[in-house]
Amino acid sequence: MIRSWLDGLTHVVAPPKCCLCYDLDTPPICSECDAKLVPAWLGGCPRCGTGPTADCPFCIGLEGLDGARAAYVYEGAAGLAVRRLKFHRLVALGRPMSERMLPVLESAFPDADLIVPVPMHRLRMAMRGFNQSELLCSAFPQDRVRRDALFRIRYTRQQARLRGKERAMSLRGAFRATPEVAGRRVLLVDDVMTTGATLRECADTIRSAGAVWVGALTFARELPGV
Ligand SMILES: [Zn+2]
Ligand SMILES: [Zn+2]
């Protein structure tokens, strides 16, 4: 119901223009901006899909995840899309961004049983009004999407303001999973992977609740060392 309300709202308030370059009379992402998105999932690495088949330099930070894929490299247009969605509240971007993640889901994780958006604490949800990770699941098979299988039990500072070790510390024990994940293959969904700390903590929580496999799919990824 909330989604249909949001869809209706964006239809009313969003003028027909590209959310990235503000070119008028184009869809939420115009073809020129679309062409600037750099895929990050077409490499040979079996774990992250970005680097080469062996000795992948981009698997740093993916410990604790059975697999990870990002649709695009964060730098440039993809980073702009992430920031416009989250901080400029251009929720009209949610669906087209999700549509661009769908081929990655179908190709890399066809056997994920449950698709779980990284949850937001209810206080932040109240402030922002939407969870971008949920919007990024909007084009996925809804019978596998579980918005309530994982929730945040502790309010944490904005991760972007913390350094690596501080991030991991601040997140410890911040999430809880429902018994529904036990025995399942669970795919976490988020907008961006930076250090991977949030996804690792979510994965640990889900694995402790009995999941047999935990992976992650994000719209973008800040590649280590780039
Ligand atoms: Zn554009
Ligand atoms: Zn890799």
Side-chain angles (χ1 to χ4, degrees):
M1 197 181 110
I2 291 173
R3 174 151 347 89
S4 59
W5 176 81
L6 265 181
D7 283 349
L9 185 71
T10 54
H11 191 74
V12 172
V13 300
K17 61 184 179 184
C18 174
C19 292
L20 303 186
C21 67
Y22 296 136
D23 193 22
L24 285 171
D25 295 323
T26 59
I29 298 177
C30 77
S31 54
E32 272 183 41
C33 290
D34 212 14
K36 290 178 188 161
L37 294 166
V38 179
W41 62 288
L42 301 174
C45 175
R47 190 178 203 180
C48 76
T50 304
T53 311
D55 299 323
C56 175
F58 304 124
C59 277
I60 298 167
L62 302 183
E63 308 82 11
L65 292 166
D66 294 307
R69 293 289 184 281
Y72 302 107
V73 175
Y74 182 77
E75 286 74 16
L80 189 59
V82 165
R83 295 190 297 276
R84 290 264 163 91
L85 171 62
K86 186 154 51 181
F87 302 121
H88 295 210
R89 299 163 187 268
L90 295 183
V91 291
L93 274 169
R95 178 82 192 190
M97 287 168 76
S98 181
E99 285 166 357
R100 285 160 178 78
M101 294 163 77
L102 185 59
V104 192
L105 171 72
E106 289 172 339
S107 163
F109 307 119
D111 51 359
D113 304 316
L114 301 181
I115 300 169
V116 177
V118 168
M120 202 181 259
H121 191 275
R122 57 189 168 78
L123 284 179
R124 180 154 297 141
M125 183 75 176
M127 287 188 281
R128 188 171 292 161
F130 63 93
N131 178 351
Q132 65 279 0
S133 305
E134 286 185 14
L135 296 182
L136 295 179
C137 291
S138 57
F140 298 169
Q142 294 301 300
D143 57 335
R144 287 192 278 156
V145 176
R146 295 288 185 284
R147 289 172 182 79
D148 47 6
L150 184 70
F151 50 100
R152 222 178 253 253
I153 54 173
R154 205 150 50 69
Y155 190 83
T156 52
R157 290 171 63 194
Q158 284 269 1
Q159 290 300 296
R161 303 206 177 123
L162 301 177
R163 290 170 191 277
K165 271 193 177 166
E166 283 183 314
R167 284 187 188 211
M169 291 285 287
S170 83
L171 284 164
R172 201 139 301 155
F175 298 95
R176 187 155 300 163
T178 62
E180 188 182 13
V181 302
R184 313 302 284 274
R185 297 173 59 85
V186 179
L187 183 69
L188 291 158
V189 173
D190 207 355
D191 55 348
V192 60
M193 180 193 285
T194 308
T195 64
T198 304
L199 288 163
R200 282 198 301 278
E201 182 64 26
C202 289
D204 284 354
T205 306
I206 286 173
R207 208 184 303 279
S208 298
V212 294
W213 180 96
V214 189
L217 171 59
T218 61
F219 178 77
R221 181 174 179 206
E222 279 191 63
L223 295 180
V226 172

